[in-house]
Amino acid sequence: MTDFHFRRLEQYQTGGTGNHMMLSIPAPTSPSGKVYRCCPAPDCTPSLFQLGNPPSEQTIAEWHLNLIRRPPKTPGITCPYCGYDGPDSEFTFRGDLEAAKEYIAWAARQDIHDHLVQMASDFNRRTQNAGRNFISVKMEVKSSSEPEPFVWREDLLRDLTCDICGRRYGVYAVALFCPDCGARNIHVHFGREVELIRQQVELAGNIEREGKEELAYRLLGNAHEDVLTAFETYLKTTFRFLVKSRLPQQAIFLGKKATHNRFQNIERGQELFAKIRENPYKGLDEDDLKFLRLNIEKRHIVGHNLGIADEGYSEVSQTEEPGQTVRLLADEVSRFAELCRRVIVSLEEKCPEFLPPKHDIA
């Protein structure tokens, strides 16, 4: 078998010899071309994310250099959830390793099978040409029906593009950093929330013009609810990250009870952030704060009372009487979303934890 070759495996050979090959098996990709990556930090949740191919012309604007952790095409990955930095190899998805092992085993078996088939063919040709005076002997090799291993990778629902380095990536709902350049990306994520809400508002307007006022009200109410749901989730995620960064000894107290519904109320949210010397609402004037409070109260009515005002809401709004349907306007929903975006972006910009550890990138 001196002429034997692992022909399927040799196409992935990057070094070594025929008997001790070094292989580089490409990771399975999702339908959009992204690969799975997994944060190695033990306390990172959900840890799984995806990376797409970098753009062909990937550059960083000069005014963004102080925001990134590494220039384009530099080895290394940043976990989008917890901010852990490490070499690419640390972020390999275990499922991809298993898939690579499975493929190598399959390819080796197929290469051996193909070689045996060729040996049998050569043997049969030689014995056939040996003449009729010899005993006829024929070698047969059972055909292989083992299919090539197939690996399916789904695209994660939240597909984003970093506005600093242009790299596409996928995450579960909320993340804080770009996994490629390491820049803060909360504004990109919440900007996506605002865009989805804007589309919901536009859809509600189209439905209303068709004469379906009740359905339009329900759709607009859903958009209004989504504003506060996103706002609460981003505040909670940001707060937990900052506590782990500034007060790691108290991070164990960040269970569900510690933050449960606290960010659905401005004052209670401020109390929590005061523990780490932050005030997310500092940049809003009294008119903005009043509008934000009213719409947070309105969300509870829309989400839990079918939009029917109760005594508590009537006292706050000074408009609808108890039992009346609260008013929902497209412009107000859009302003609600924009105010929440301003709070999140302001928090991202003023917290040094979202900046790279070093500022010597050139």
Side-chain angles (χ1 to χ4, degrees):
M1 294 182 65
T2 56
D3 59 342
F4 173 73
H5 291 277
F6 286 106
R7 303 189 184 280
R8 287 177 176 81
L9 294 179
E10 283 177 352
Q11 61 182 319
Y12 300 113
Q13 186 173 358
T14 56
T17 64
N19 294 328
H20 297 87
M21 289 189 290
M22 294 177 60
L23 303 175
S24 178
I25 307 297
T29 60
S30 69
S32 68
K34 298 188 189 71
V35 296
Y36 276 21
R37 291 289 180 256
C38 195
C39 178
D43 59 344
C44 180
T45 302
S47 74
L48 181 66
F49 60 98
Q50 293 175 318
L51 261 177
N53 292 321
S56 56
E57 297 295 331
Q58 190 181 24
T59 58
I60 304 294
E62 185 177 353
W63 53 88
H64 284 153
L65 290 177
N66 65 327
L67 299 179
I68 65 173
R69 303 189 185 201
R70 66 189 67 83
K73 299 179 176 59
T74 300
I77 292 177
T78 298
C79 173
Y81 305 112
C82 70
Y84 174 84
D85 282 311
D88 295 39
S89 58
E90 284 192 16
F91 289 83
T92 300
F93 179 57
R94 183 175 295 276
D96 288 348
L97 290 175
E98 298 303 319
K101 292 176 183 178
E102 187 177 348
Y103 174 80
I104 291 171
W106 172 85
R109 290 193 296 269
Q110 294 302 307
D111 285 338
I112 293 172
H113 174 269
D114 291 348
H115 185 74
L116 291 176
V117 169
Q118 185 61 47
M119 287 179 60
S121 176
D122 294 343
F123 175 82
N124 292 336
R125 186 174 60 255
R126 288 195 301 270
T127 57
Q128 185 178 17
N129 296 334
R132 297 180 178 180
N133 296 328
F134 294 90
I135 299 175
S136 178
V137 179
K138 185 177 182 180
M139 180 185 295
E140 291 186 358
V141 177
K142 186 177 180 180
S143 62
S144 174
S145 60
E146 184 182 6
E148 181 178 346
F150 175 75
V151 181
W152 174 255
R153 293 287 183 255
E154 286 188 313
D155 279 305
L156 298 179
L157 186 60
R158 179 54 60 90
D159 178 27
L160 296 164
T161 300
C162 176
D163 63 346
I164 301 225
C165 73
R167 188 74 176 265
R168 286 184 64 189
Y169 62 98
V171 296
Y172 288 109
V174 182
L176 306 174
F177 303 96
C178 167
D180 187 3
C181 69
R184 59 193 188 197
N185 261 194
I186 312 173
H187 63 285
V188 175
H189 287 257
F190 204 83
R192 180 58 179 157
E193 300 288 351
V194 173
E195 173 60 21
L196 290 172
I197 290 162
R198 186 195 66 77
Q199 293 177 18
Q200 289 176 272
V201 171
E202 185 176 318
L203 179 61
N206 293 337
I207 294 294
E208 185 177 23
R209 283 187 286 273
E210 295 176 4
K212 302 174 183 177
E213 287 84 1
E214 186 175 5
L215 177 58
Y217 182 87
R218 186 64 60 88
L219 291 174
L220 198 57
N222 290 340
H224 190 275
E225 284 188 75
D226 288 347
V227 175
L228 185 58
T229 299
F231 188 50
E232 178 188 12
T233 303
Y234 279 76
L235 285 177
K236 187 185 302 182
T237 302
T238 304
F239 175 74
R240 287 177 172 173
F241 172 78
L242 292 175
V243 169
K244 289 180 180 180
S245 300
R246 299 181 184 184
L247 305 169
Q249 69 279 10
Q250 296 186 26
I252 60 173
F253 301 110
L254 287 177
K256 184 176 180 180
K257 291 183 178 180
T259 58
H260 182 62
N261 292 337
R262 297 289 292 274
F263 298 111
Q264 292 184 14
N265 178 281
I266 291 179
E267 284 69 30
R268 287 188 293 169
Q270 284 176 318
E271 290 175 2
L272 273 183
F273 270 100
K275 297 180 182 296
I276 53 174
R277 298 182 180 179
E278 293 293 345
N279 180 7
Y281 305 97
K282 188 176 181 179
L284 301 184
D285 59 30
E286 285 302 318
D287 184 58
D288 288 337
L289 284 171
K290 181 179 178 181
F291 183 85
L292 206 55
R293 286 191 183 93
L294 176 63
N295 278 272
I296 289 174
E297 292 293 331
K298 185 180 291 188
R299 185 266 187 182
H300 299 312
I301 297 299
V302 172
H304 304 296
N305 209 34
L306 284 177
I308 301 172
D310 57 16
E311 290 79 2
Y313 179 78
S314 295
E315 291 179 5
V316 174
S317 68
Q318 299 292 310
T319 52
E320 291 87 359
E321 295 294 328
Q324 293 182 348
T325 301
V326 299
R327 183 180 62 173
L328 277 176
L329 297 177
D331 289 346
E332 290 184 350
V333 176
S334 298
R335 183 186 174 191
F336 185 26
E338 176 58 24
L339 283 176
C340 292
R341 188 196 68 81
R342 282 174 52 190
V343 171
I344 296 299
V345 170
S346 173
L347 193 59
E348 175 191 41
E349 290 179 346
K350 67 182 180 179
C351 292
E353 287 80 6
F354 296 118
L355 290 173
K358 297 180 180 181
H359 299 270
D360 57 355
I361 297 177

